[in-house]
Amino acid sequence: MKNDKMRLHLKKYNLLITVWVLTLVVTLPSISYVFIKSWEAHKDTLANQIDALSDGFNHDIKTNLTSLNARFPTNPACDQVVIKAMKQLDYKAKHLTDFAVVHGNQIICTSESGMLKEPMPLPKPNWVTAEGVSIILGLPIPFFDGQETGITVQIGSFLAFLDYQSDQSKTDHPWLKYINYGLVKGERVYSYGDKAFSANGFDELVSGRQWYEDGHWLFSECRGDTECKIIAVDILAYFEAEKTAVIFPAVFLFILMSLMTLLGLRLHRWLYSLPRQIRYGINNEQLTLHYQPIIGFASGDIEGCEVLCRWHTVEGKMIRPDEFIAVVENNRQTRELTELVVSRCITDLKHAELIGKCRVAINAFPDDIASGHILSVFRRLLPLKDYTTFTIELTEQKITNLPALSEGVRQLRMLGFQVAIDDFGTGFSNLEGLRELSVDVLKIDKSFVWGAEKPSLKQDLIEHIVNLAKLLQLKIVAEGVETQEQFAFLRSMKVDYSQGYLHSHPVCLSEFANLLNASVTVNKPITRSA
């Protein structure tokens, strides 16, 4: 199941888009919540302001108009006693002024003007509250000869004009609007507030609602069972007026998106880093095998091949062994890689019917030989009779337990395998070590072959390696042969086998099978590309 973790490959821009979308999905509701809470605070301030004004009106109405009706219960006369009583209440009342006596639906006298020359007829009330208070909007004020209008409230035979500053019922914010309305038996009997604002929902008394409508964020709030108010935030006007409310979230969102972009890039690098890709990607889909021919100097024919791994990243890039082997070792996946390479190689060779037609060299980690792991894999997959056609190539690096490795090599050779030391000369290359391991083949590292066609220290080193191999009766393979001059020098040194681009790049199994069947020789160099 772990290999499935790397089958889904998100390209960098796809991952960034995912990170951005997730960031916005989480952040935008939070920013919206902050805005709504801010609007709620402004709504509460305005609601308290309106309620305080309404409470003041109700208090004055109940205290003053009720007391006048109680003192002068029926058809009060406009005498000095009544006018003086109205003037006293006019002085005491905070929200009422210009008290008046009403007879026969007409104002006959007021506290400010006294007895009117002509009684002032009253229109039909705009609405009557549940407490029996009649309210008229836009009634001319007698004291100003009708040039100013006001709102009147009437109980029984007495009437008064509402007295308040207009800013007491307004907000300092032009983007904040409200409508106050009353319902009696499900019907709206009055409404007042911002004339430019209208909203649905005047036919019910529901408190605590929030909703969006026509560019406004709306709040409903009710008092008692007959009166409600709707307070609205004009969102566009809010953002136009409150610049800081836009700038701060915008800067915050920009910084957050920048940080999330950096995080997304780092996440992508971590998700698809080479160590992590290898940890979850050693499988048949990403690992391929190539085969590089090994030519006999004596025969000039293909006498074997070396199996070379190529690992493909999720981005499609092909990685050579010298780039990923160290990562495999650090990940402690050597056994996993060895088993996959051996099983894949044997399966491919069986399918191509090449087992037994040439010698096949497979690289192995020292610990896999020392522990017997590679031998157990061969025993599970290959008949004993075919062991003699395989060579196990051992790298000299990271040999931690020489006695155990020597025993592993002995068991392999006893069963018919050949064992070679790969890249000889780059690691532990002394006579005692070679005697301890008791191998069959030395492979001269390509770093000694390149440039050896000219008189140099490399020629002396190759001569020393060849003499050492002959002393121990070992076969010699020269790696990295790329020119005819190198090939000629190595043949003069009695090297047994040649491997390199002069003959062929590493090729796929089918191409190698064609080369082997055609019995390609060094006189006809192979120039296939990898």
Side-chain angles (χ1 to χ4, degrees), residues 71-117:
R71 186 174 175 183
F72 308 103
T74 57
N75 295 321
C78 280
D79 54 22
Q80 292 301 316
V81 176
V82 172
I83 293 175
K84 181 179 179 180
M86 291 193 296
K87 285 185 176 182
Q88 287 175 338
L89 293 180
D90 196 346
Y91 175 77
K92 293 178 181 179
K94 183 178 180 181
H95 297 288
L96 296 179
T97 189
D98 206 7
F99 285 78
V101 176
V102 177
H103 281 181
N105 215 30
Q106 291 181 326
I107 297 176
I108 61 173
C109 65
T110 71
S111 59
E112 294 291 337
S113 303
M115 181 66 71
L116 299 181
K117 294 180 181 180

Side-chain angles (χ1 to χ4, degrees), residues 3 51 71 100 129 145 180 185 215 256 280 339 376 394 398 403 420 423 439 493 497 522:
N3 290 335
D51 290 342
R71 186 174 175 183
T129 69
D145 297 328
N180 209 58
K185 296 181 180 180
L256 180 62
Y280 297 108
E339 183 163 353
S376 67
L394 165 68
K398 296 185 179 180
D423 301 330
V439 297
M493 296 300 299
Y497 302 101
V522 295

Side-chain angles (χ1 to χ4, degrees), residues 63-215:
T63 302
N64 300 301
L65 288 180
T66 302
S67 66
L68 281 174
N69 279 282
R71 186 174 175 183
F72 308 103
T74 57
N75 295 321
C78 280
D79 54 22
Q80 292 301 316
V81 176
V82 172
I83 293 175
K84 181 179 179 180
M86 291 193 296
K87 285 185 176 182
Q88 287 175 338
L89 293 180
D90 196 346
Y91 175 77
K92 293 178 181 179
K94 183 178 180 181
H95 297 288
L96 296 179
T97 189
D98 206 7
F99 285 78
V101 176
V102 177
H103 281 181
N105 215 30
Q106 291 181 326
I107 297 176
I108 61 173
C109 65
T110 71
S111 59
E112 294 291 337
S113 303
M115 181 66 71
L116 299 181
K117 294 180 181 180
E118 294 290 337
M120 180 177 177
L122 294 177
K124 183 179 179 181
N126 293 92
W127 74 88
V128 179
T129 69
E131 291 80 12
V133 179
S134 299
I135 299 173
I136 301 174
L137 302 177
L139 184 69
I141 301 174
F143 183 76
F144 297 105
D145 297 328
Q147 295 180 1
E148 296 290 339
T149 61
I151 300 174
T152 66
V153 290
Q154 179 184 352
I155 297 179
S157 299
F158 291 93
L159 171 149
F161 284 85
L162 299 185
D163 182 22
Y164 63 96
Q165 299 296 321
S166 61
D167 57 359
Q168 290 182 268
S169 63
K170 294 181 180 179
T171 174
D172 295 332
H173 305 292
W175 43 265
L176 196 60
K177 308 170 184 178
Y178 80 95
I179 290 179
N180 209 58
Y181 63 94
L183 294 179
V184 175
K185 296 181 180 180
E187 294 185 2
R188 179 161 54 97
V189 294
Y190 68 89
S191 66
Y192 61 90
D194 292 280
K195 296 179 180 179
F197 170 60
S198 62
N200 297 323
F202 287 174
D203 56 348
E204 58 182 349
L205 295 169
V206 180
S207 188
R209 285 180 57 201
Q210 296 184 31
W211 73 99
Y212 175 83
E213 182 180 314
D214 296 331

Side-chain angles (χ1 to χ4, degrees), residues 11 103 288 453:
K11 292 185 178 180
H103 281 181
T288 59
E453 67 274 13

Side-chain angles (χ1 to χ4, degrees), residues 35-36 38-40 42-43 46 171 173-178 194 196-199 211-219 230-243 245-246:
F35 279 127
I36 291 173
S38 173
W39 297 337
E40 280 186 345
H42 288 292
K43 178 267 296 183
L46 178 58
T171 174
H173 305 292
W175 43 265
L176 196 60
K177 308 170 184 178
Y178 80 95
D194 292 280
F197 170 60
S198 62
W211 73 99
Y212 175 83
E213 182 180 314
D214 296 331
H216 294 78
W217 192 262
L218 302 153
F219 304 87
I230 294 178
I231 299 177
V233 175
D234 187 330
I235 297 176
L236 182 59
Y238 173 82
F239 287 126
E240 289 178 349
E242 306 294 334
K243 301 299 183 184
V246 178

Side-chain angles (χ1 to χ4, degrees), residues 444-465:
I444 302 174
D445 186 68
K446 59 189 177 184
S447 61
F448 296 101
V449 173
W450 293 343
E453 67 274 13
K454 299 178 182 179
S456 62
L457 178 61
K458 290 185 177 181
Q459 286 190 350
D460 296 335
L461 290 173
I462 289 178
E463 184 176 358
H464 172 74
I465 294 172

Side-chain angles (χ1 to χ4, degrees), residues 396 402 406 421 428-439 472:
E396 292 184 277
L402 188 58
S406 178
I421 292 183
F428 183 65
S429 307
N430 59 52
L431 183 60
E432 290 301 318
L434 290 174
R435 285 176 174 172
E436 179 71 20
L437 290 175
S438 185
V439 297
L472 298 175

